[in-house]
mmCIF file of all heavy atoms in Angstrom:
data_model
loop_
_atom_site.group_PDB
_atom_site.id
_atom_site.type_symbol
_atom_site.label_atom_id
_atom_site.label_comp_id
_atom_site.label_asym_id
_atom_site.label_seq_id
_atom_site.Cartn_x
_atom_site.Cartn_y
_atom_site.Cartn_z
ATOM 1 N N GLY A 1 0.796 -1.217 0.000
ATOM 2 C CA GLY A 1 0.000 0.000 0.000
ATOM 3 C C GLY A 1 0.833 1.274 0.000
ATOM 4 O O GLY A 1 0.303 2.354 -0.248
ATOM 5 N N ARG A 2 2.122 1.147 0.293
ATOM 6 C CA ARG A 2 3.011 2.319 0.310
ATOM 7 C C ARG A 2 4.062 2.260 -0.805
ATOM 8 O O ARG A 2 4.445 3.295 -1.341
ATOM 9 C CB ARG A 2 3.719 2.429 1.657
ATOM 10 C CG ARG A 2 2.796 2.576 2.843
ATOM 11 C CD ARG A 2 3.576 2.875 4.116
ATOM 12 N NE ARG A 2 4.482 1.786 4.495
ATOM 13 C CZ ARG A 2 5.799 1.924 4.665
ATOM 14 N NH1 ARG A 2 6.361 3.109 4.511
ATOM 15 N NH2 ARG A 2 6.546 0.892 5.028
ATOM 16 N N PHE A 3 4.537 1.074 -1.126
ATOM 17 C CA PHE A 3 5.589 0.890 -2.124
ATOM 18 C C PHE A 3 4.992 0.263 -3.380
ATOM 19 O O PHE A 3 4.058 -0.545 -3.308
ATOM 20 C CB PHE A 3 6.696 -0.027 -1.607
ATOM 21 C CG PHE A 3 7.543 0.543 -0.500
ATOM 22 C CD1 PHE A 3 7.199 1.713 0.163
ATOM 23 C CD2 PHE A 3 8.701 -0.114 -0.110
ATOM 24 C CE1 PHE A 3 7.984 2.225 1.177
ATOM 25 C CE2 PHE A 3 9.491 0.385 0.909
ATOM 26 C CZ PHE A 3 9.130 1.549 1.555
ATOM 27 N N THR A 4 5.582 0.593 -4.520
ATOM 28 C CA THR A 4 5.181 0.012 -5.795
ATOM 29 C C THR A 4 6.415 -0.392 -6.581
ATOM 30 O O THR A 4 7.306 0.442 -6.820
ATOM 31 C CB THR A 4 4.350 0.996 -6.621
ATOM 32 O OG1 THR A 4 3.195 1.406 -5.867
ATOM 33 C CG2 THR A 4 3.888 0.351 -7.922
ATOM 34 N N ILE A 5 6.459 -1.656 -6.986
ATOM 35 C CA ILE A 5 7.560 -2.143 -7.826
ATOM 36 C C ILE A 5 7.082 -2.168 -9.272
ATOM 37 O O ILE A 5 5.922 -2.497 -9.556
ATOM 38 C CB ILE A 5 8.037 -3.535 -7.361
ATOM 39 C CG1 ILE A 5 9.301 -3.959 -8.096
ATOM 40 C CG2 ILE A 5 6.934 -4.583 -7.505
ATOM 41 C CD1 ILE A 5 9.951 -5.231 -7.514
ATOM 42 N N SER A 6 7.956 -1.786 -10.184
ATOM 43 C CA SER A 6 7.603 -1.782 -11.608
ATOM 44 C C SER A 6 8.859 -2.064 -12.414
ATOM 45 O O SER A 6 9.975 -2.045 -11.877
ATOM 46 C CB SER A 6 6.996 -0.437 -12.013
ATOM 47 O OG SER A 6 7.919 0.625 -11.815
ATOM 48 N N ARG A 7 8.677 -2.328 -13.694
ATOM 49 C CA ARG A 7 9.823 -2.633 -14.538
ATOM 50 C C ARG A 7 9.661 -1.969 -15.887
ATOM 51 O O ARG A 7 8.546 -1.767 -16.363
ATOM 52 C CB ARG A 7 10.000 -4.139 -14.689
ATOM 53 C CG ARG A 7 8.850 -4.858 -15.408
ATOM 54 C CD ARG A 7 8.915 -6.364 -15.189
ATOM 55 N NE ARG A 7 10.194 -6.911 -15.607
ATOM 56 C CZ ARG A 7 10.706 -8.055 -15.155
ATOM 57 N NH1 ARG A 7 10.037 -8.762 -14.262
ATOM 58 N NH2 ARG A 7 11.858 -8.479 -15.579
ATOM 59 N N ASP A 8 10.781 -1.628 -16.493
ATOM 60 C CA ASP A 8 10.833 -1.115 -17.855
ATOM 61 C C ASP A 8 11.826 -2.011 -18.595
ATOM 62 O O ASP A 8 13.044 -1.818 -18.492
ATOM 63 C CB ASP A 8 11.276 0.347 -17.869
ATOM 64 C CG ASP A 8 11.236 0.968 -19.252
ATOM 65 O OD1 ASP A 8 11.336 0.220 -20.252
ATOM 66 O OD2 ASP A 8 11.149 2.196 -19.345
ATOM 67 N N ASN A 9 11.311 -2.986 -19.309
ATOM 68 C CA ASN A 9 12.191 -3.949 -19.963
ATOM 69 C C ASN A 9 13.041 -3.300 -21.060
ATOM 70 O O ASN A 9 14.164 -3.741 -21.303
ATOM 71 C CB ASN A 9 11.375 -5.102 -20.532
ATOM 72 C CG ASN A 9 10.778 -5.968 -19.445
ATOM 73 O OD1 ASN A 9 11.276 -6.001 -18.316
ATOM 74 N ND2 ASN A 9 9.697 -6.671 -19.756
ATOM 75 N N ALA A 10 12.516 -2.283 -21.698
ATOM 76 C CA ALA A 10 13.283 -1.593 -22.738
ATOM 77 C C ALA A 10 14.544 -0.959 -22.158
ATOM 78 O O ALA A 10 15.575 -0.873 -22.819
ATOM 79 C CB ALA A 10 12.421 -0.549 -23.417
ATOM 80 N N LYS A 11 14.460 -0.506 -20.900
ATOM 81 C CA LYS A 11 15.612 0.101 -20.233
ATOM 82 C C LYS A 11 16.342 -0.904 -19.349
ATOM 83 O O LYS A 11 17.339 -0.551 -18.708
ATOM 84 C CB LYS A 11 15.151 1.298 -19.392
ATOM 85 C CG LYS A 11 14.584 2.444 -20.214
ATOM 86 C CD LYS A 11 14.209 3.621 -19.338
ATOM 87 C CE LYS A 11 13.684 4.786 -20.175
ATOM 88 N NZ LYS A 11 13.302 5.949 -19.333
ATOM 89 N N ASN A 12 15.829 -2.139 -19.290
ATOM 90 C CA ASN A 12 16.430 -3.168 -18.435
ATOM 91 C C ASN A 12 16.581 -2.657 -17.003
ATOM 92 O O ASN A 12 17.637 -2.822 -16.366
ATOM 93 C CB ASN A 12 17.786 -3.614 -18.990
ATOM 94 C CG ASN A 12 18.047 -5.087 -18.756
ATOM 95 O OD1 ASN A 12 17.123 -5.879 -18.587
ATOM 96 N ND2 ASN A 12 19.316 -5.470 -18.753
ATOM 97 N N THR A 13 15.529 -2.067 -16.509
ATOM 98 C CA THR A 13 15.547 -1.410 -15.207
ATOM 99 C C THR A 13 14.274 -1.750 -14.433
ATOM 100 O O THR A 13 13.193 -1.851 -15.015
ATOM 101 C CB THR A 13 15.655 0.119 -15.370
ATOM 102 O OG1 THR A 13 16.860 0.434 -16.067
ATOM 103 C CG2 THR A 13 15.665 0.823 -14.016
ATOM 104 N N VAL A 14 14.457 -1.955 -13.135
ATOM 105 C CA VAL A 14 13.328 -2.165 -12.227
ATOM 106 C C VAL A 14 13.328 -1.023 -11.215
ATOM 107 O O VAL A 14 14.396 -0.590 -10.776
ATOM 108 C CB VAL A 14 13.436 -3.531 -11.529
ATOM 109 C CG1 VAL A 14 12.394 -3.676 -10.431
ATOM 110 C CG2 VAL A 14 13.284 -4.647 -12.549
ATOM 111 N N TYR A 15 12.138 -0.589 -10.848
ATOM 112 C CA TYR A 15 11.985 0.564 -9.962
ATOM 113 C C TYR A 15 11.260 0.167 -8.679
ATOM 114 O O TYR A 15 10.515 -0.807 -8.638
ATOM 115 C CB TYR A 15 11.177 1.666 -10.658
ATOM 116 C CG TYR A 15 11.753 2.107 -11.968
ATOM 117 C CD1 TYR A 15 11.279 1.591 -13.169
ATOM 118 C CD2 TYR A 15 12.785 3.039 -12.015
ATOM 119 C CE1 TYR A 15 11.806 1.996 -14.387
ATOM 120 C CE2 TYR A 15 13.321 3.446 -13.221
ATOM 121 C CZ TYR A 15 12.829 2.926 -14.400
ATOM 122 O OH TYR A 15 13.363 3.323 -15.597
ATOM 123 N N LEU A 16 11.490 0.948 -7.653
ATOM 124 C CA LEU A 16 10.727 0.820 -6.421
ATOM 125 C C LEU A 16 10.308 2.223 -5.991
ATOM 126 O O LEU A 16 11.147 3.018 -5.550
ATOM 127 C CB LEU A 16 11.551 0.153 -5.313
ATOM 128 C CG LEU A 16 10.771 -0.152 -4.036
ATOM 129 C CD1 LEU A 16 9.719 -1.249 -4.285
ATOM 130 C CD2 LEU A 16 11.718 -0.586 -2.910
ATOM 131 N N GLN A 17 9.032 2.515 -6.176
ATOM 132 C CA GLN A 17 8.486 3.795 -5.733
ATOM 133 C C GLN A 17 8.073 3.642 -4.277
ATOM 134 O O GLN A 17 7.258 2.776 -3.949
ATOM 135 C CB GLN A 17 7.277 4.188 -6.584
ATOM 136 C CG GLN A 17 6.600 5.467 -6.147
ATOM 137 C CD GLN A 17 7.476 6.690 -6.341
ATOM 138 O OE1 GLN A 17 8.138 6.825 -7.368
ATOM 139 N NE2 GLN A 17 7.490 7.589 -5.365
ATOM 140 N N MET A 18 8.626 4.478 -3.428
ATOM 141 C CA MET A 18 8.377 4.376 -1.991
ATOM 142 C C MET A 18 7.696 5.649 -1.514
ATOM 143 O O MET A 18 8.290 6.734 -1.601
ATOM 144 C CB MET A 18 9.699 4.157 -1.245
ATOM 145 C CG MET A 18 10.499 2.970 -1.750
ATOM 146 S SD MET A 18 11.953 2.609 -0.738
ATOM 147 C CE MET A 18 12.886 4.101 -0.963
ATOM 148 N N ASN A 19 6.480 5.512 -1.064
ATOM 149 C CA ASN A 19 5.707 6.642 -0.550
ATOM 150 C C ASN A 19 5.425 6.453 0.935
ATOM 151 O O ASN A 19 5.572 5.355 1.469
ATOM 152 C CB ASN A 19 4.383 6.771 -1.311
ATOM 153 C CG ASN A 19 4.573 7.015 -2.799
ATOM 154 O OD1 ASN A 19 5.541 7.657 -3.221
ATOM 155 N ND2 ASN A 19 3.649 6.505 -3.596
ATOM 156 N N SER A 20 5.021 7.532 1.568
ATOM 157 C CA SER A 20 4.677 7.491 3.001
ATOM 158 C C SER A 20 5.773 6.811 3.806
ATOM 159 O O SER A 20 5.505 5.931 4.645
ATOM 160 C CB SER A 20 3.341 6.762 3.197
ATOM 161 O OG SER A 20 2.313 7.404 2.473
ATOM 162 N N LEU A 21 6.989 7.208 3.566
ATOM 163 C CA LEU A 21 8.125 6.566 4.229
ATOM 164 C C LEU A 21 8.106 6.786 5.729
ATOM 165 O O LEU A 21 7.680 7.849 6.219
ATOM 166 C CB LEU A 21 9.431 7.078 3.617
ATOM 167 C CG LEU A 21 9.774 6.467 2.261
ATOM 168 C CD1 LEU A 21 10.776 7.314 1.509
ATOM 169 C CD2 LEU A 21 10.289 5.048 2.432
ATOM 170 N N LYS A 22 8.580 5.775 6.429
ATOM 171 C CA LYS A 22 8.633 5.783 7.886
ATOM 172 C C LYS A 22 10.082 5.624 8.340
ATOM 173 O O LYS A 22 10.892 5.046 7.604
ATOM 174 C CB LYS A 22 7.797 4.633 8.455
ATOM 175 C CG LYS A 22 6.360 4.604 7.976
ATOM 176 C CD LYS A 22 5.665 3.348 8.496
ATOM 177 C CE LYS A 22 4.235 3.267 8.021
ATOM 178 N NZ LYS A 22 3.550 2.040 8.510
ATOM 179 N N PRO A 23 10.402 6.078 9.543
ATOM 180 C CA PRO A 23 11.779 5.872 10.025
ATOM 181 C C PRO A 23 12.201 4.407 10.001
ATOM 182 O O PRO A 23 13.381 4.112 9.749
ATOM 183 C CB PRO A 23 11.713 6.424 11.455
ATOM 184 C CG PRO A 23 10.646 7.475 11.398
ATOM 185 C CD PRO A 23 9.621 6.933 10.442
ATOM 186 N N GLU A 24 11.277 3.508 10.218
ATOM 187 C CA GLU A 24 11.626 2.081 10.207
ATOM 188 C C GLU A 24 11.927 1.548 8.810
ATOM 189 O O GLU A 24 12.346 0.393 8.670
ATOM 190 C CB GLU A 24 10.521 1.240 10.867
ATOM 191 C CG GLU A 24 9.123 1.497 10.350
ATOM 192 C CD GLU A 24 8.352 2.484 11.213
ATOM 193 O OE1 GLU A 24 8.937 3.521 11.628
ATOM 194 O OE2 GLU A 24 7.152 2.224 11.455
ATOM 195 N N ASP A 25 11.711 2.348 7.778
ATOM 196 C CA ASP A 25 12.114 1.969 6.425
ATOM 197 C C ASP A 25 13.592 2.242 6.173
ATOM 198 O O ASP A 25 14.115 1.894 5.105
ATOM 199 C CB ASP A 25 11.283 2.737 5.386
ATOM 200 C CG ASP A 25 9.818 2.362 5.405
ATOM 201 O OD1 ASP A 25 9.517 1.169 5.559
ATOM 202 O OD2 ASP A 25 8.970 3.274 5.280
ATOM 203 N N THR A 26 14.262 2.848 7.125
ATOM 204 C CA THR A 26 15.691 3.132 6.979
ATOM 205 C C THR A 26 16.476 1.841 6.833
ATOM 206 O O THR A 26 16.370 0.928 7.655
ATOM 207 C CB THR A 26 16.208 3.917 8.195
ATOM 208 O OG1 THR A 26 15.576 5.205 8.222
ATOM 209 C CG2 THR A 26 17.723 4.095 8.142
ATOM 210 N N ALA A 27 17.224 1.736 5.751
ATOM 211 C CA ALA A 27 17.980 0.512 5.446
ATOM 212 C C ALA A 27 18.775 0.733 4.170
ATOM 213 O O ALA A 27 18.586 1.733 3.467
ATOM 214 C CB ALA A 27 17.024 -0.667 5.257
ATOM 215 N N VAL A 28 19.624 -0.233 3.879
ATOM 216 C CA VAL A 28 20.239 -0.314 2.556
ATOM 217 C C VAL A 28 19.336 -1.195 1.700
ATOM 218 O O VAL A 28 18.961 -2.298 2.116
ATOM 219 C CB VAL A 28 21.661 -0.896 2.618
ATOM 220 C CG1 VAL A 28 22.254 -0.971 1.217
ATOM 221 C CG2 VAL A 28 22.541 -0.060 3.528
ATOM 222 N N TYR A 29 18.989 -0.692 0.541
ATOM 223 C CA TYR A 29 18.087 -1.400 -0.362
ATOM 224 C C TYR A 29 18.885 -2.005 -1.513
ATOM 225 O O TYR A 29 19.708 -1.327 -2.135
ATOM 226 C CB TYR A 29 17.023 -0.454 -0.893
ATOM 227 C CG TYR A 29 15.953 -0.143 0.139
ATOM 228 C CD1 TYR A 29 16.243 0.665 1.243
ATOM 229 C CD2 TYR A 29 14.669 -0.673 0.036
ATOM 230 C CE1 TYR A 29 15.274 0.925 2.206
ATOM 231 C CE2 TYR A 29 13.691 -0.412 0.988
ATOM 232 C CZ TYR A 29 14.003 0.391 2.079
ATOM 233 O OH TYR A 29 13.049 0.640 3.025
ATOM 234 N N PHE A 30 18.596 -3.274 -1.777
ATOM 235 C CA PHE A 30 19.299 -4.040 -2.807
ATOM 236 C C PHE A 30 18.290 -4.610 -3.806
ATOM 237 O O PHE A 30 17.174 -4.958 -3.438
ATOM 238 C CB PHE A 30 20.036 -5.231 -2.198
ATOM 239 C CG PHE A 30 21.048 -4.893 -1.139
ATOM 240 C CD1 PHE A 30 20.670 -4.760 0.192
ATOM 241 C CD2 PHE A 30 22.392 -4.739 -1.465
ATOM 242 C CE1 PHE A 30 21.597 -4.470 1.168
ATOM 243 C CE2 PHE A 30 23.326 -4.452 -0.493
ATOM 244 C CZ PHE A 30 22.932 -4.312 0.825
ATOM 245 N N CYS A 31 18.730 -4.766 -5.035
ATOM 246 C CA CYS A 31 17.943 -5.542 -5.983
ATOM 247 C C CYS A 31 18.669 -6.854 -6.265
ATOM 248 O O CYS A 31 19.898 -6.948 -6.096
ATOM 249 C CB CYS A 31 17.682 -4.772 -7.274
ATOM 250 S SG CYS A 31 19.138 -4.233 -8.163
ATOM 251 N N LYS A 32 17.890 -7.845 -6.681
ATOM 252 C CA LYS A 32 18.426 -9.175 -6.920
ATOM 253 C C LYS A 32 17.713 -9.822 -8.086
ATOM 254 O O LYS A 32 16.507 -9.699 -8.248
ATOM 255 C CB LYS A 32 18.268 -10.072 -5.686
ATOM 256 C CG LYS A 32 18.822 -11.474 -5.853
ATOM 257 C CD LYS A 32 18.601 -12.324 -4.634
ATOM 258 C CE LYS A 32 17.211 -12.878 -4.526
ATOM 259 N NZ LYS A 32 16.972 -14.026 -5.409
ATOM 260 N N VAL A 33 18.505 -10.540 -8.878
ATOM 261 C CA VAL A 33 17.949 -11.353 -9.946
ATOM 262 C C VAL A 33 18.696 -12.681 -9.968
ATOM 263 O O VAL A 33 19.879 -12.736 -9.624
ATOM 264 C CB VAL A 33 18.057 -10.625 -11.302
ATOM 265 C CG1 VAL A 33 19.510 -10.447 -11.725
ATOM 266 C CG2 VAL A 33 17.272 -11.348 -12.385
ATOM 267 N N ASP A 34 18.003 -13.738 -10.315
ATOM 268 C CA ASP A 34 18.595 -15.064 -10.373
ATOM 269 C C ASP A 34 18.700 -15.526 -11.819
ATOM 270 O O ASP A 34 17.806 -15.246 -12.641
ATOM 271 C CB ASP A 34 17.748 -16.072 -9.599
ATOM 272 C CG ASP A 34 17.705 -15.760 -8.119
ATOM 273 O OD1 ASP A 34 18.677 -15.177 -7.610
ATOM 274 O OD2 ASP A 34 16.692 -16.098 -7.480
ATOM 275 N N ARG A 35 19.775 -16.229 -12.104
ATOM 276 C CA ARG A 35 19.937 -16.857 -13.418
ATOM 277 C C ARG A 35 20.690 -18.146 -13.220
ATOM 278 O O ARG A 35 21.778 -18.142 -12.657
ATOM 279 C CB ARG A 35 20.699 -15.933 -14.373
ATOM 280 C CG ARG A 35 20.786 -16.489 -15.800
ATOM 281 C CD ARG A 35 21.464 -15.522 -16.746
ATOM 282 N NE ARG A 35 22.901 -15.406 -16.477
ATOM 283 C CZ ARG A 35 23.730 -14.675 -17.204
ATOM 284 N NH1 ARG A 35 23.264 -13.979 -18.219
ATOM 285 N NH2 ARG A 35 25.008 -14.608 -16.897
ATOM 286 N N PHE A 36 20.076 -19.235 -13.687
ATOM 287 C CA PHE A 36 20.702 -20.560 -13.597
ATOM 288 C C PHE A 36 21.155 -20.849 -12.161
ATOM 289 O O PHE A 36 22.280 -21.272 -11.916
ATOM 290 C CB PHE A 36 21.901 -20.671 -14.548
ATOM 291 C CG PHE A 36 21.556 -20.389 -15.974
ATOM 292 C CD1 PHE A 36 22.356 -19.546 -16.730
ATOM 293 C CD2 PHE A 36 20.442 -20.934 -16.571
ATOM 294 C CE1 PHE A 36 22.060 -19.259 -18.053
ATOM 295 C CE2 PHE A 36 20.121 -20.653 -17.899
ATOM 296 C CZ PHE A 36 20.939 -19.812 -18.634
ATOM 297 N N ALA A 37 20.254 -20.594 -11.227
ATOM 298 C CA ALA A 37 20.475 -20.886 -9.809
ATOM 299 C C ALA A 37 21.570 -20.034 -9.174
ATOM 300 O O ALA A 37 22.026 -20.322 -8.066
ATOM 301 C CB ALA A 37 20.787 -22.364 -9.595
ATOM 302 N N VAL A 38 21.997 -18.988 -9.845
ATOM 303 C CA VAL A 38 22.970 -18.047 -9.273
ATOM 304 C C VAL A 38 22.244 -16.727 -9.008
ATOM 305 O O VAL A 38 21.530 -16.221 -9.877
ATOM 306 C CB VAL A 38 24.156 -17.819 -10.227
ATOM 307 C CG1 VAL A 38 25.098 -16.758 -9.650
ATOM 308 C CG2 VAL A 38 24.894 -19.118 -10.469
ATOM 309 N N SER A 39 22.436 -16.181 -7.823
ATOM 310 C CA SER A 39 21.820 -14.900 -7.463
ATOM 311 C C SER A 39 22.817 -13.768 -7.680
ATOM 312 O O SER A 39 23.978 -13.863 -7.267
ATOM 313 C CB SER A 39 21.389 -14.921 -5.998
ATOM 314 O OG SER A 39 20.350 -15.853 -5.784
ATOM 315 N N TYR A 40 22.322 -12.716 -8.306
ATOM 316 C CA TYR A 40 23.133 -11.521 -8.539
ATOM 317 C C TYR A 40 22.529 -10.366 -7.764
ATOM 318 O O TYR A 40 21.306 -10.124 -7.852
ATOM 319 C CB TYR A 40 23.191 -11.189 -10.037
ATOM 320 C CG TYR A 40 23.853 -12.274 -10.850
ATOM 321 C CD1 TYR A 40 23.113 -13.289 -11.446
ATOM 322 C CD2 TYR A 40 25.243 -12.277 -11.030
ATOM 323 C CE1 TYR A 40 23.716 -14.289 -12.182
ATOM 324 C CE2 TYR A 40 25.860 -13.271 -11.773
ATOM 325 C CZ TYR A 40 25.088 -14.277 -12.342
ATOM 326 O OH TYR A 40 25.702 -15.267 -13.075
ATOM 327 N N TRP A 41 23.383 -9.675 -7.021
ATOM 328 C CA TRP A 41 22.969 -8.553 -6.189
ATOM 329 C C TRP A 41 23.681 -7.283 -6.632
ATOM 330 O O TRP A 41 24.833 -7.325 -7.073
ATOM 331 C CB TRP A 41 23.329 -8.815 -4.731
ATOM 332 C CG TRP A 41 22.630 -9.961 -4.090
ATOM 333 C CD1 TRP A 41 23.001 -11.273 -4.119
ATOM 334 C CD2 TRP A 41 21.453 -9.905 -3.294
ATOM 335 N NE1 TRP A 41 22.113 -12.024 -3.402
ATOM 336 C CE2 TRP A 41 21.158 -11.213 -2.868
ATOM 337 C CE3 TRP A 41 20.611 -8.865 -2.881
ATOM 338 C CZ2 TRP A 41 20.049 -11.512 -2.073
ATOM 339 C CZ3 TRP A 41 19.515 -9.159 -2.095
ATOM 340 C CH2 TRP A 41 19.241 -10.470 -1.693
ATOM 341 N N GLY A 42 23.000 -6.167 -6.432
ATOM 342 C CA GLY A 42 23.664 -4.888 -6.588
ATOM 343 C C GLY A 42 24.407 -4.527 -5.327
ATOM 344 O O GLY A 42 24.405 -5.272 -4.330
ATOM 345 N N GLN A 43 25.027 -3.349 -5.337
ATOM 346 C CA GLN A 43 25.821 -2.921 -4.199
ATOM 347 C C GLN A 43 24.972 -2.260 -3.121
ATOM 348 O O GLN A 43 25.440 -2.056 -1.999
ATOM 349 C CB GLN A 43 26.916 -1.941 -4.654
ATOM 350 C CG GLN A 43 26.472 -0.486 -4.827
ATOM 351 C CD GLN A 43 25.528 -0.267 -6.008
ATOM 352 O OE1 GLN A 43 25.389 -1.138 -6.869
ATOM 353 N NE2 GLN A 43 24.885 0.896 -6.057
ATOM 354 N N GLY A 44 23.746 -1.928 -3.467
ATOM 355 C CA GLY A 44 22.816 -1.332 -2.511
ATOM 356 C C GLY A 44 22.813 0.184 -2.559
ATOM 357 O O GLY A 44 23.788 0.819 -2.987
ATOM 358 N N THR A 45 21.707 0.738 -2.108
ATOM 359 C CA THR A 45 21.585 2.192 -1.997
ATOM 360 C C THR A 45 20.944 2.511 -0.644
ATOM 361 O O THR A 45 19.962 1.876 -0.243
ATOM 362 C CB THR A 45 20.758 2.784 -3.161
ATOM 363 O OG1 THR A 45 20.752 4.217 -3.080
ATOM 364 C CG2 THR A 45 19.318 2.273 -3.190
#
């Protein structure tokens, strides 16, 4: 109800729209994708 995930395949990008943020949302956020049983992570933001 607060966050929305979406994707733009043409840009090969996934988004996370975060609204009504709370102090407890404070964290490092990572994206992940799996291929052939291997998980790939970003460095986080």
Side-chain angles (χ1 to χ4, degrees):
R2 300 188 297 123
F3 291 11
T4 303
I5 188 171
S6 61
R7 64 195 304 157
D8 185 335
N9 291 337
K11 295 183 178 180
N12 215 24
T13 300
V14 171
Y15 304 97
L16 186 68
Q17 177 66 43
M18 306 187 297
N19 299 328
S20 302
L21 283 161
K22 305 174 181 179
E24 51 264 43
D25 294 320
T26 295
V28 180
Y29 284 71
F30 302 87
C31 58
K32 181 182 79 78
V33 66
D34 296 331
R35 185 176 71 177
F36 303 133
V38 176
S39 294
Y40 297 93
W41 295 86
Q43 82 291 346
T45 185

